[in-house]
Amino acid sequence: MMKVVLKLEYVDEKIKQKVMKKVSVVEGVDSMSIDTKDKKLTVIGNVDPVVLVSKLKKLCHTEIVLVGPAKEPEKKKDNEPKKTQDKKKAAIKAYPAPVLYQYQPYPQYPTPVPAYQHYYSVEEEDSNSCVIC
């Protein structure tokens, strides 16, 4: 989860509505909000900020202000013993995050070109042919 803050330069409410519509279609957006006073758009979700800017560049001038985690990290409690914290860290190191690869089921081969077939007709065989003598 990421938090992306964009600064927008729009003139009227119609552009604001179009911005909301464009951002809501982007894949990975969980929530969004616009601060009309500061003209800032806040988007939370698994979204690439460059994709958001490229979607909005036709509507208004857009700048990336902040990209970071959605929630601020919580402070650690000192009540927990250090052994349990060490076990948690060891468990995290033992199981790293999986790496996702794009799967292509079939290799990309060029499409075959159809063979051309030529048909020739002989005038002697065709009874309906017209011959001028």
Side-chain angles (χ1 to χ4, degrees), residues 82-96:
K82 291 183 179 180
K83 293 180 182 178
T84 57
Q85 289 179 354
D86 292 337
K87 288 181 183 178
K88 288 180 184 178
K89 288 181 183 178
I92 291 172
K93 289 180 182 178
Y95 299 105

Side-chain angles (χ1 to χ4, degrees), residues 1 6 14 16 18 34 45 58-59 81 84 91 93 96 105 122:
M1 297 287 278
L6 303 172
K14 285 185 179 181
K16 177 183 163 185
K18 288 180 183 179
I34 288 186
K58 291 183 180 179
L59 296 174
T84 57
K93 289 180 182 178
V122 179

Side-chain angles (χ1 to χ4, degrees), residues 9-24:
E9 292 181 12
Y10 58 89
V11 180
D12 57 351
E13 291 296 317
K14 285 185 179 181
I15 296 176
K16 177 183 163 185
Q17 291 174 354
K18 288 180 183 179
V19 165
M20 293 290 280
K21 193 178 286 187
K22 286 269 189 181
V23 172
S24 65

